[in-house]
Coordinates of all heavy atoms in Angstrom, one line a residue:
S1 N 9.4 6.9 -3.6 CA 8.3 6.0 -3.1 C 8.8 4.6 -2.9 O 9.6 4.1 -3.6 CB 7.1 6.1 -4.1 OG 7.5 5.4 -5.3
V2 N 8.3 3.9 -1.9 CA 8.7 2.6 -1.5 C 7.8 1.6 -2.4 O 6.6 1.8 -2.5 CB 8.5 2.3 0.0 CG1 8.8 0.9 0.3 CG2 9.4 3.3 0.7
R3 N 8.4 0.6 -2.9 CA 7.6 -0.5 -3.6 C 7.8 -1.8 -3.0 O 9.0 -2.2 -2.7 CB 8.1 -0.5 -5.1 CG 7.3 -1.4 -5.9 CD 7.7 -1.4 -7.4 NE 9.0 -2.1 -7.5 CZ 9.8 -2.0 -8.5 NH1 9.5 -1.2 -9.5 NH2 10.9 -2.7 -8.5
I4 N 6.8 -2.6 -2.7 CA 6.9 -3.8 -2.1 C 6.1 -4.8 -2.9 O 5.0 -4.6 -3.3 CB 6.3 -3.8 -0.6 CG1 7.0 -2.8 0.2 CG2 6.3 -5.2 0.0 CD1 6.3 -2.5 1.5
Q5 N 6.7 -6.0 -3.2 CA 6.1 -7.0 -4.0 C 6.9 -8.3 -3.7 O 8.0 -8.3 -3.2 CB 6.2 -6.7 -5.5 CG 7.6 -6.7 -6.0 CD 7.7 -6.2 -7.5 OE1 7.1 -5.2 -7.8 NE2 8.4 -6.9 -8.3
P6 N 6.2 -9.5 -4.1 CA 6.9 -10.7 -4.0 C 8.1 -10.7 -4.8 O 8.2 -10.0 -5.9 CB 6.0 -11.8 -4.5 CG 4.6 -11.1 -4.3 CD 4.8 -9.7 -4.5
S7 N 9.2 -11.4 -4.5 CA 10.4 -11.4 -5.4 C 10.0 -12.0 -6.8 O 9.0 -12.7 -6.8 CB 11.5 -12.2 -4.7 OG 11.2 -13.5 -4.6
K8 N 10.8 -11.7 -7.8 CA 10.4 -12.0 -9.1 C 10.0 -13.5 -9.4 O 9.1 -13.8 -10.1 CB 11.6 -11.7 -10.1 CG 11.5 -10.4 -10.7 CD 12.6 -10.3 -11.7 CE 12.5 -8.9 -12.5 NZ 13.5 -8.8 -13.5
I9 N 10.7 -14.4 -8.8 CA 10.3 -15.9 -9.1 C 9.1 -16.3 -8.3 O 8.7 -17.4 -8.6 CB 11.6 -16.7 -8.7 CG1 11.9 -16.6 -7.2 CG2 12.7 -16.4 -9.6 CD1 12.9 -17.6 -6.8
Q10 N 8.5 -15.5 -7.5 CA 7.4 -16.0 -6.7 C 6.1 -15.3 -6.9 O 5.2 -15.3 -6.1 CB 7.8 -15.8 -5.2 CG 8.9 -16.7 -4.7 CD 9.2 -16.5 -3.3 OE1 9.2 -15.4 -2.8 NE2 9.5 -17.6 -2.6
F11 N 5.9 -14.6 -8.0 CA 4.7 -13.9 -8.3 C 4.2 -14.1 -9.7 O 5.0 -14.4 -10.6 CB 4.7 -12.5 -7.9 CG 5.5 -11.6 -8.9 CD1 5.0 -11.1 -10.1 CD2 6.9 -11.2 -8.5 CE1 5.8 -10.3 -10.9 CE2 7.6 -10.5 -9.3 CZ 7.1 -10.0 -10.5
E12 N 2.9 -14.0 -9.9 CA 2.4 -14.0 -11.3 C 1.9 -12.6 -11.6 O 1.3 -11.9 -10.7 CB 1.2 -15.0 -11.4 CG 0.0 -14.7 -10.6 CD -1.1 -15.7 -10.7 OE1 -0.8 -16.9 -10.9 OE2 -2.2 -15.4 -10.5
S13 N 2.1 -12.1 -12.8 CA 1.8 -10.7 -13.1 C 0.3 -10.5 -13.1 O -0.4 -11.3 -13.6 CB 2.4 -10.3 -14.4 OG 3.8 -10.3 -14.4
E14 N -0.1 -9.5 -12.4 CA -1.5 -8.9 -12.4 C -1.4 -7.5 -12.5 O -0.4 -6.9 -12.2 CB -2.3 -9.4 -11.2 CG -2.5 -10.9 -11.1 CD -3.3 -11.3 -9.9 OE1 -3.8 -10.4 -9.2 OE2 -3.4 -12.5 -9.7
K15 N -2.5 -6.8 -12.8 CA -2.5 -5.4 -12.8 C -2.3 -4.9 -11.3 O -2.9 -5.4 -10.4 CB -3.8 -4.8 -13.3 CG -4.1 -5.1 -14.7 CD -5.3 -4.4 -15.2 CE -5.5 -4.7 -16.7 NZ -6.8 -4.1 -17.1
P16 N -1.4 -3.9 -11.1 CA -1.2 -3.4 -9.8 C -2.4 -2.8 -9.2 O -3.2 -2.2 -10.0 CB -0.1 -2.4 -10.0 CG 0.5 -2.6 -11.3 CD -0.5 -3.3 -12.1
Q17 N -2.7 -3.0 -7.9 CA -3.9 -2.4 -7.2 C -3.5 -1.0 -6.9 O -2.3 -0.6 -6.8 CB -4.2 -3.1 -6.0 CG -4.5 -4.6 -6.2 CD -4.7 -5.3 -4.9 OE1 -4.6 -4.7 -3.8 NE2 -4.9 -6.6 -4.9
A18 N -4.5 -0.1 -6.8 CA -4.3 1.3 -6.4 C -3.8 1.3 -5.0 O -4.2 0.6 -4.1 CB -5.7 2.0 -6.4
P19 N -2.7 2.1 -4.8 CA -2.0 2.1 -3.5 C -2.9 2.9 -2.5 O -3.7 3.8 -2.9 CB -0.7 2.9 -3.7 CG -1.0 3.7 -5.0 CD -2.0 2.9 -5.8
A20 N -2.7 2.6 -1.3 CA -3.3 3.3 -0.1 C -2.7 4.6 0.0 O -1.6 4.9 -0.5 CB -3.2 2.5 1.2
P21 N -3.3 5.6 0.7 CA -2.6 6.9 0.9 C -1.3 6.7 1.6 O -1.1 5.7 2.4 CB -3.6 7.6 1.8 CG -4.9 6.9 1.7 CD -4.6 5.5 1.3
G22 N -0.3 7.5 1.3 CA 1.0 7.4 1.8 C 2.0 7.0 0.7 O 1.8 7.4 -0.4
P23 N 3.0 6.2 1.1 CA 4.0 5.9 0.1 C 3.4 5.1 -1.1 O 2.4 4.3 -0.9 CB 5.0 5.0 0.8 CG 4.8 5.3 2.3 CD 3.3 5.7 2.4
K24 N 3.8 5.4 -2.3 CA 3.3 4.6 -3.5 C 3.9 3.2 -3.5 O 5.1 3.1 -3.6 CB 3.6 5.4 -4.7 CG 3.0 4.9 -6.0 CD 3.5 5.6 -7.2 CE 3.1 7.0 -7.2 NZ 3.4 7.7 -8.5
L25 N 3.0 2.3 -3.6 CA 3.5 0.9 -3.5 C 3.0 0.1 -4.8 O 1.8 0.3 -5.2 CB 3.0 0.1 -2.3 CG 3.3 0.8 -1.0 CD1 2.7 -0.1 0.2 CD2 4.8 0.8 -0.8
E26 N 3.8 -0.7 -5.3 CA 3.3 -1.6 -6.4 C 3.0 -3.0 -5.8 O 3.9 -3.6 -5.2 CB 4.4 -1.8 -7.5 CG 4.0 -2.7 -8.6 CD 5.0 -2.9 -9.6 OE1 5.8 -2.0 -9.8 OE2 5.0 -3.9 -10.2
L27 N 1.8 -3.4 -5.8 CA 1.4 -4.7 -5.2 C 1.1 -5.7 -6.2 O 0.5 -5.5 -7.2 CB 0.1 -4.4 -4.3 CG 0.2 -3.3 -3.3 CD1 -1.1 -3.2 -2.5 CD2 1.3 -3.7 -2.2
R28 N 1.6 -6.9 -5.9 CA 1.3 -8.1 -6.8 C 0.9 -9.3 -5.9 O 1.4 -9.4 -4.8 CB 2.5 -8.4 -7.6 CG 2.9 -7.2 -8.5 CD 3.6 -7.7 -9.8 NE 3.9 -6.4 -10.5 CZ 4.6 -6.5 -11.6 NH1 5.0 -7.6 -12.1 NH2 4.8 -5.4 -12.3
H29 N 0.1 -10.1 -6.4 CA -0.3 -11.3 -5.6 C 0.7 -12.5 -5.9 O 1.0 -12.8 -7.0 CB -1.7 -11.7 -6.1 CG -2.8 -10.7 -5.8 ND1 -3.2 -10.5 -4.5 CD2 -3.3 -9.8 -6.5 CE1 -4.1 -9.5 -4.5 NE2 -4.2 -9.0 -5.7
A30 N 1.0 -13.1 -4.8 CA 1.9 -14.3 -4.9 C 1.2 -15.5 -5.5 O 0.0 -15.6 -5.3 CB 2.4 -14.6 -3.5
A31 N 1.9 -16.2 -6.3 CA 1.3 -17.4 -7.0 C 1.8 -18.7 -6.2 O 2.2 -19.6 -6.9 CB 1.7 -17.4 -8.4
I32 N 1.7 -18.6 -4.9 CA 2.2 -19.8 -4.2 C 1.1 -20.1 -3.2 O 0.2 -19.3 -2.9 CB 3.5 -19.6 -3.4 CG1 3.4 -18.4 -2.5 CG2 4.6 -19.4 -4.4 CD1 4.6 -18.2 -1.6
G33 N 1.2 -21.2 -2.5 CA 0.2 -21.7 -1.6 C 0.1 -20.8 -0.4 O 1.1 -20.3 0.1
S34 N -1.1 -20.8 0.3 CA -1.3 -20.1 1.5 C -0.4 -20.8 2.6 O -0.4 -22.0 2.7 CB -2.7 -20.1 1.9 OG -3.0 -19.6 3.1
G35 N 0.2 -20.0 3.4 CA 1.0 -20.5 4.5 C 2.5 -20.8 4.2 O 3.3 -21.0 5.1
D36 N 2.8 -20.8 2.9 CA 4.2 -21.0 2.4 C 5.1 -19.8 2.8 O 4.5 -18.7 2.8 CB 4.3 -21.3 0.9 CG 3.7 -22.6 0.6 OD1 3.5 -23.5 1.4 OD2 3.3 -22.8 -0.6
P37 N 6.4 -20.0 2.9 CA 7.3 -18.9 3.1 C 7.3 -18.0 1.8 O 7.0 -18.5 0.7 CB 8.7 -19.5 3.2 CG 8.4 -20.9 3.5 CD 7.1 -21.3 3.0
L38 N 7.5 -16.7 2.0 CA 7.5 -15.7 0.9 C 8.5 -14.6 1.1 O 8.6 -14.1 2.2 CB 6.0 -15.1 0.8 CG 5.8 -14.2 -0.4 CD1 6.1 -14.9 -1.8 CD2 4.5 -13.5 -0.4
K39 N 9.3 -14.4 0.0 CA 10.3 -13.3 0.1 C 9.7 -12.1 -0.6 O 9.2 -12.2 -1.8 CB 11.5 -13.8 -0.7 CG 12.6 -12.7 -0.7 CD 13.8 -13.3 -1.5 CE 14.5 -14.3 -0.6 NZ 15.9 -14.3 -0.6
L40 N 9.7 -11.0 0.1 CA 9.2 -9.7 -0.5 C 10.3 -8.8 -1.0 O 11.3 -8.8 -0.3 CB 8.4 -8.9 0.5 CG 7.0 -9.5 0.9 CD1 6.4 -8.5 1.9 CD2 6.1 -9.8 -0.2
Y41 N 10.2 -8.2 -2.2 CA 11.1 -7.2 -2.7 C 10.6 -5.9 -2.1 O 9.4 -5.5 -2.2 CB 11.1 -7.2 -4.2 CG 11.7 -6.0 -4.8 CD1 13.0 -6.0 -5.1 CD2 11.0 -4.9 -5.1 CE1 13.6 -4.9 -5.7 CE2 11.5 -3.8 -5.7 CZ 12.9 -3.8 -6.0 OH 13.5 -2.7 -6.6
V42 N 11.5 -5.1 -1.5 CA 11.2 -3.8 -1.0 C 12.1 -2.8 -1.7 O 13.2 -2.8 -1.6 CB 11.4 -3.7 0.5 CG1 11.0 -2.3 1.1 CG2 10.7 -4.8 1.3
G43 N 11.4 -2.0 -2.6 CA 12.1 -1.0 -3.4 C 11.9 0.4 -2.9 O 11.1 0.6 -2.1
G44 N 12.6 1.3 -3.5 CA 12.4 2.7 -3.2 C 13.2 3.2 -2.0 O 12.8 4.2 -1.4
L45 N 14.2 2.4 -1.6 CA 15.0 2.8 -0.4 C 16.1 3.8 -0.8 O 17.3 3.5 -0.8 CB 15.6 1.6 0.3 CG 14.6 0.5 0.8 CD1 15.3 -0.7 1.3 CD2 13.6 1.1 1.7
I46 N 15.7 5.0 -1.2 CA 16.6 6.0 -1.6 C 16.4 7.2 -0.7 O 15.5 7.3 0.1 CB 16.3 6.4 -3.1 CG1 14.9 6.8 -3.3 CG2 16.7 5.2 -4.0 CD1 14.5 7.3 -4.7
E47 N 17.4 8.2 -0.9 CA 17.4 9.4 -0.1 C 17.4 9.1 1.4 O 18.3 8.4 1.9 CB 16.2 10.3 -0.6 CG 16.4 10.7 -2.0 CD 15.2 11.5 -2.6 OE1 14.3 11.8 -1.8 OE2 15.1 11.7 -3.8
S48 N 16.4 9.6 2.1 CA 16.4 9.4 3.5 C 16.2 7.9 4.0 O 16.7 7.6 5.1 CB 15.3 10.3 4.1 OG 14.0 9.7 3.7
L49 N 15.7 7.1 3.1 CA 15.5 5.7 3.5 C 16.8 4.9 3.1 O 16.9 3.7 3.5 CB 14.4 5.1 2.8 CG 12.9 5.6 3.2 CD1 11.9 5.1 2.3 CD2 12.7 5.3 4.7
S50 N 17.8 5.5 2.5 CA 19.0 4.7 2.1 C 19.8 4.3 3.2 O 20.7 3.4 3.1 CB 19.8 5.5 1.1 OG 20.3 6.6 1.7
N51 N 19.6 4.9 4.4 CA 20.4 4.5 5.6 C 19.7 3.6 6.5 O 20.1 3.4 7.7 CB 20.8 5.8 6.3 CG 21.8 6.6 5.6 OD1 22.7 6.0 4.8 ND2 21.7 7.9 5.6
I52 N 18.5 3.1 6.1 CA 17.8 2.2 7.0 C 18.6 0.9 7.3 O 19.3 0.4 6.4 CB 16.4 1.8 6.4 CG1 15.4 1.3 7.4 CG2 16.6 1.0 5.2 CD1 14.0 1.3 6.9
S53 N 18.4 0.4 8.5 CA 19.2 -0.8 8.9 C 18.3 -2.0 8.7 O 17.0 -1.9 8.6 CB 19.6 -0.7 10.3 OG 18.5 -0.8 11.2
E54 N 18.9 -3.2 8.7 CA 18.2 -4.4 8.7 C 17.2 -4.5 9.9 O 16.1 -5.0 9.8 CB 19.1 -5.6 8.5 CG 19.7 -5.7 7.2 CD 20.7 -6.9 7.0 OE1 20.8 -7.7 8.0 OE2 21.3 -7.0 6.0
G55 N 17.7 -4.1 11.0 CA 16.9 -4.2 12.2 C 15.7 -3.3 12.1 O 14.6 -3.6 12.6
E56 N 15.8 -2.1 11.5 CA 14.7 -1.2 11.4 C 13.7 -1.7 10.4 O 12.5 -1.6 10.6 CB 15.2 0.2 10.9 CG 16.0 1.0 12.0 CD 16.7 2.2 11.4 OE1 17.1 2.2 10.2 OE2 16.7 3.2 12.2
L57 N 14.1 -2.3 9.3 CA 13.2 -3.0 8.3 C 12.5 -4.1 9.0 O 11.3 -4.3 8.9 CB 14.0 -3.5 7.1 CG 14.1 -2.6 6.0 CD1 14.9 -3.2 4.9 CD2 12.8 -2.1 5.4
R58 N 13.2 -4.9 9.8 CA 12.6 -6.0 10.5 C 11.5 -5.5 11.5 O 10.3 -6.1 11.5 CB 13.6 -6.8 11.3 CG 13.0 -8.0 12.1 CD 14.1 -8.7 12.8 NE 15.1 -9.4 12.0 CZ 15.0 -10.6 11.4 NH1 13.9 -11.3 11.6 NH2 15.9 -11.0 10.7
Q59 N 11.7 -4.4 12.2 CA 10.8 -3.9 13.1 C 9.5 -3.3 12.3 O 8.4 -3.4 12.8 CB 11.4 -2.7 13.9 CG 12.2 -3.1 15.0 CD 12.8 -1.9 15.8 OE1 13.1 -0.8 15.2 NE2 13.1 -2.1 17.1
L60 N 9.8 -2.8 11.1 CA 8.7 -2.3 10.3 C 7.7 -3.4 9.8 O 6.5 -3.2 9.8 CB 9.3 -1.6 9.1 CG 8.3 -0.9 8.1 CD1 7.6 0.3 8.9 CD2 9.1 -0.4 6.9
F61 N 8.3 -4.6 9.5 CA 7.5 -5.7 9.0 C 7.1 -6.7 10.0 O 6.1 -7.4 9.8 CB 8.3 -6.4 7.9 CG 8.3 -5.6 6.6 CD1 9.4 -4.8 6.3 CD2 7.3 -5.7 5.7 CE1 9.4 -4.0 5.1 CE2 7.3 -4.9 4.5 CZ 8.4 -4.1 4.2
Q62 N 7.7 -6.8 11.2 CA 7.4 -7.7 12.2 C 5.9 -7.7 12.7 O 5.4 -8.8 13.0 CB 8.4 -7.5 13.4 CG 8.4 -8.7 14.4 CD 9.2 -9.8 13.8 OE1 10.2 -9.7 13.3 NE2 8.6 -11.0 13.9
P63 N 5.3 -6.5 12.7 CA 3.9 -6.6 13.2 C 3.0 -7.4 12.4 O 1.9 -7.8 12.8 CB 3.5 -5.1 13.2 CG 4.7 -4.3 13.4 CD 5.7 -5.2 12.6
F64 N 3.3 -7.7 11.1 CA 2.5 -8.5 10.2 C 2.7 -10.0 10.3 O 1.9 -10.8 9.9 CB 2.7 -8.1 8.8 CG 2.4 -6.6 8.6 CD1 3.5 -5.7 8.6 CD2 1.1 -6.2 8.6 CE1 3.2 -4.4 8.4 CE2 0.9 -4.8 8.4 CZ 1.8 -3.9 8.3
G65 N 3.8 -10.4 11.0 CA 4.0 -11.9 11.1 C 5.6 -12.1 11.3 O 6.4 -11.2 11.3
E66 N 5.9 -13.4 11.4 CA 7.3 -13.7 11.6 C 8.2 -13.5 10.4 O 7.9 -13.9 9.3 CB 7.4 -15.2 11.9 CG 8.8 -15.7 12.2 CD 8.9 -17.2 12.4 OE1 7.9 -17.9 12.6 OE2 10.1 -17.7 12.3
V67 N 9.2 -12.6 10.6 CA 10.2 -12.2 9.6 C 11.4 -13.2 9.9 O 12.0 -13.1 10.9 CB 10.6 -10.8 9.7 CG1 11.7 -10.5 8.7 CG2 9.4 -9.9 9.5
S68 N 11.6 -14.0 8.9 CA 12.7 -15.0 9.0 C 14.1 -14.4 8.6 O 15.1 -14.9 9.1 CB 12.5 -16.2 8.3 OG 12.2 -16.0 6.9
A69 N 14.1 -13.4 7.7 CA 15.4 -12.8 7.3 C 15.1 -11.4 6.6 O 14.0 -11.2 6.0 CB 16.1 -13.7 6.3
V70 N 16.1 -10.5 6.7 CA 16.0 -9.2 6.1 C 17.4 -9.1 5.4 O 18.4 -9.3 6.0 CB 15.8 -8.1 7.0 CG1 15.9 -6.7 6.4 CG2 14.4 -8.3 7.8
T71 N 17.4 -8.7 4.1 CA 18.7 -8.5 3.4 C 18.6 -7.2 2.6 O 17.7 -7.0 1.8 CB 18.9 -9.7 2.4 OG1 18.8 -10.9 3.0 CG2 20.2 -9.5 1.7
I72 N 19.5 -6.3 3.1 CA 19.6 -5.0 2.3 C 20.7 -5.2 1.3 O 21.8 -5.5 1.7 CB 19.8 -3.8 3.3 CG1 18.7 -3.6 4.3 CG2 20.1 -2.5 2.5 CD1 18.9 -2.6 5.3
V73 N 20.4 -4.9 0.0 CA 21.4 -5.1 -1.0 C 22.3 -3.8 -1.1 O 21.7 -2.7 -1.2 CB 20.7 -5.3 -2.4 CG1 21.8 -5.5 -3.5 CG2 19.9 -6.6 -2.2
K74 N 23.6 -4.0 -0.9 CA 24.5 -2.9 -0.8 C 25.5 -2.9 -1.9 O 25.9 -3.9 -2.4 CB 25.2 -2.8 0.5 CG 24.3 -2.7 1.7 CD 25.0 -2.5 3.0 CE 24.0 -2.3 4.1 NZ 24.7 -2.0 5.4
D75 N 25.9 -1.7 -2.3 CA 27.0 -1.5 -3.3 C 28.3 -2.0 -2.6 O 28.6 -1.6 -1.5 CB 27.1 0.0 -3.7 CG 28.2 0.2 -4.6 OD1 29.4 0.1 -4.3 OD2 27.9 0.6 -5.8
L76 N 29.0 -2.9 -3.3 CA 30.2 -3.4 -2.7 C 31.3 -2.5 -2.4 O 32.1 -2.6 -1.4 CB 30.8 -4.6 -3.6 CG 29.9 -5.8 -3.7 CD1 30.5 -6.8 -4.7 CD2 29.6 -6.4 -2.3
H77 N 31.4 -1.4 -3.3 CA 32.5 -0.5 -3.1 C 32.2 0.7 -2.2 O 33.0 1.1 -1.3 CB 32.9 0.1 -4.5 CG 33.3 -0.9 -5.4 ND1 34.6 -1.5 -5.3 CD2 32.7 -1.5 -6.5 CE1 34.7 -2.4 -6.3 NE2 33.6 -2.4 -7.1
R78 N 30.9 1.2 -2.2 CA 30.6 2.3 -1.4 C 29.9 1.9 -0.1 O 29.7 2.7 0.8 CB 29.7 3.3 -2.1 CG 30.4 3.9 -3.3 CD 29.6 4.9 -4.1 NE 28.2 4.6 -4.1 CZ 27.2 5.4 -4.5 NH1 27.6 6.6 -5.0 NH2 26.0 5.1 -4.6
K79 N 29.5 0.6 0.0 CA 28.9 0.1 1.3 C 27.6 0.8 1.5 O 27.2 0.8 2.7 CB 29.8 0.1 2.4 CG 31.2 -0.5 2.2 CD 31.1 -2.0 2.1 CE 32.5 -2.6 2.1 NZ 32.6 -3.8 1.3
R80 N 26.9 1.2 0.5 CA 25.6 1.9 0.7 C 24.6 1.1 0.0 O 24.8 0.4 -0.9 CB 25.7 3.3 0.0 CG 26.7 4.3 0.8 CD 26.7 5.7 0.2 NE 25.3 6.2 0.1 CZ 24.9 7.2 -0.5 NH1 25.8 7.9 -1.3 NH2 23.7 7.7 -0.5
C81 N 23.3 1.3 0.6 CA 22.2 0.6 0.0 C 22.0 0.9 -1.5 O 22.0 2.1 -1.9 CB 20.9 1.0 0.8 SG 19.4 0.3 0.2
K82 N 21.7 -0.1 -2.3 CA 21.5 0.1 -3.7 C 20.0 0.6 -4.0 O 19.6 0.7 -5.1 CB 21.7 -1.2 -4.5 CG 23.2 -1.4 -4.7 CD 23.3 -2.6 -5.6 CE 24.7 -2.8 -6.1 NZ 24.8 -3.9 -7.1
G83 N 19.2 0.7 -2.9 CA 17.8 1.2 -3.1 C 16.8 0.1 -3.0 O 15.6 0.4 -3.1
F84 N 17.2 -1.2 -2.6 CA 16.2 -2.2 -2.4 C 16.7 -3.2 -1.4 O 17.9 -3.3 -1.1 CB 15.8 -2.9 -3.8 CG 17.0 -3.5 -4.4 CD1 17.1 -4.9 -4.3 CD2 17.8 -2.9 -5.3 CE1 18.2 -5.6 -4.9 CE2 18.9 -3.5 -5.9 CZ 19.0 -4.9 -5.8
A85 N 15.7 -4.0 -0.9 CA 16.0 -5.0 0.1 C 15.0 -6.2 -0.1 O 14.1 -6.0 -0.9 CB 15.9 -4.4 1.5
F86 N 15.2 -7.2 0.6 CA 14.3 -8.4 0.6 C 14.0 -8.7 2.0 O 14.8 -8.7 2.9 CB 15.0 -9.6 0.0 CG 15.3 -9.4 -1.5 CD1 16.5 -9.1 -1.9 CD2 14.3 -9.6 -2.5 CE1 16.9 -8.9 -3.3 CE2 14.6 -9.4 -3.8 CZ 15.9 -9.1 -4.2
V87 N 12.7 -9.0 2.3 CA 12.2 -9.3 3.6 C 11.5 -10.7 3.4 O 10.6 -10.9 2.6 CB 11.2 -8.3 4.1 CG1 10.6 -8.8 5.4 CG2 11.9 -7.0 4.2
D88 N 12.0 -11.7 4.1 CA 11.5 -13.1 4.1 C 10.5 -13.3 5.2 O 10.9 -13.1 6.4 CB 12.6 -14.1 4.2 CG 13.6 -14.1 3.1 OD1 13.5 -13.2 2.2 OD2 14.5 -14.9 3.1
F89 N 9.3 -13.7 4.9 CA 8.3 -14.0 5.8 C 8.2 -15.6 5.9 O 8.3 -16.2 4.9 CB 6.9 -13.5 5.5 CG 6.7 -12.0 5.8 CD1 7.1 -11.0 5.0 CD2 6.2 -11.7 7.0 CE1 6.9 -9.7 5.3 CE2 6.0 -10.4 7.4 CZ 6.4 -9.3 6.5
A90 N 8.0 -16.1 7.1 CA 7.8 -17.5 7.3 C 6.4 -17.9 6.7 O 6.3 -19.1 6.3 CB 7.9 -17.9 8.7
D91 N 5.5 -17.0 6.6 CA 4.1 -17.4 6.2 C 3.7 -16.3 5.1 O 3.7 -15.1 5.4 CB 3.2 -17.3 7.4 CG 1.8 -17.7 7.1 OD1 1.3 -17.5 5.9 OD2 1.1 -18.1 8.0
S92 N 3.2 -16.9 4.0 CA 2.8 -15.9 2.9 C 1.6 -15.1 3.2 O 1.5 -14.0 2.7 CB 2.5 -16.7 1.6 OG 1.5 -17.6 1.8
N93 N 0.7 -15.6 4.1 CA -0.4 -14.7 4.6 C 0.1 -13.5 5.3 O -0.4 -12.4 5.0 CB -1.3 -15.5 5.5 CG -2.0 -16.7 4.8 OD1 -2.4 -16.6 3.6 ND2 -2.1 -17.8 5.4
A94 N 1.2 -13.6 6.1 CA 1.7 -12.4 6.8 C 2.3 -11.4 5.7 O 2.1 -10.2 5.8 CB 2.7 -12.8 7.8
A95 N 3.0 -12.0 4.7 CA 3.5 -11.2 3.6 C 2.5 -10.4 2.9 O 2.6 -9.2 2.6 CB 4.4 -12.0 2.7
R96 N 1.4 -11.1 2.6 CA 0.3 -10.5 1.9 C -0.3 -9.3 2.8 O -0.7 -8.3 2.3 CB -0.8 -11.5 1.5 CG -0.3 -12.4 0.4 CD -1.5 -13.3 -0.1 NE -1.0 -14.1 -1.1 CZ -0.8 -15.4 -1.0 NH1 -1.0 -16.0 0.2 NH2 -0.4 -16.2 -2.0
D97 N -0.4 -9.6 4.1 CA -0.9 -8.6 5.0 C -0.1 -7.4 5.0 O -0.5 -6.2 4.9 CB -1.1 -9.1 6.4 CG -2.2 -10.1 6.6 OD1 -3.1 -10.2 5.7 OD2 -2.1 -10.9 7.6
A98 N 1.2 -7.6 5.0 CA 2.2 -6.4 4.9 C 2.1 -5.7 3.6 O 2.0 -4.4 3.6 CB 3.6 -6.9 5.1
M99 N 1.9 -6.4 2.5 CA 1.7 -5.7 1.2 C 0.5 -4.9 1.1 O 0.5 -3.8 0.6 CB 1.8 -6.7 0.0 CG 3.1 -7.3 -0.2 SD 3.1 -8.3 -1.8 CE 1.8 -9.4 -1.5
T100 N -0.6 -5.4 1.7 CA -1.9 -4.7 1.7 C -1.8 -3.4 2.6 O -2.3 -2.4 2.2 CB -3.0 -5.6 2.2 OG1 -3.0 -6.7 1.3 CG2 -4.3 -4.9 2.2
A101 N -1.2 -3.5 3.7 CA -1.1 -2.4 4.7 C -0.2 -1.4 4.2 O -0.4 -0.2 4.6 CB -0.8 -3.0 6.0
M102 N 0.9 -1.7 3.6 CA 1.9 -0.8 3.2 C 1.7 -0.2 1.8 O 2.2 0.8 1.4 CB 3.3 -1.4 3.3 CG 3.5 -1.8 4.8 SD 5.1 -2.4 5.0 CE 5.8 -1.2 6.1

């Protein structure tokens, strides 16, 4: 299952909301001002999703707002995805929309 949340330094802990039908997501509310940039943690990139490209992740999140950067964390030796990535949004409202929808 894919998990999307603000990166650790940008959220305050709250009880996760019930996920929508589809992939199981852990959602947390950002503790920053509206309109500020926000980095999302995207987890669960395993098995068939382990070969996803930065471009494909960007296309997945772009409908919610301006994506300023996508970083897939890879194993240095095997050059394979470690199972998670970060998606930076220029606007935290767009990031929240993405978390809610996914």
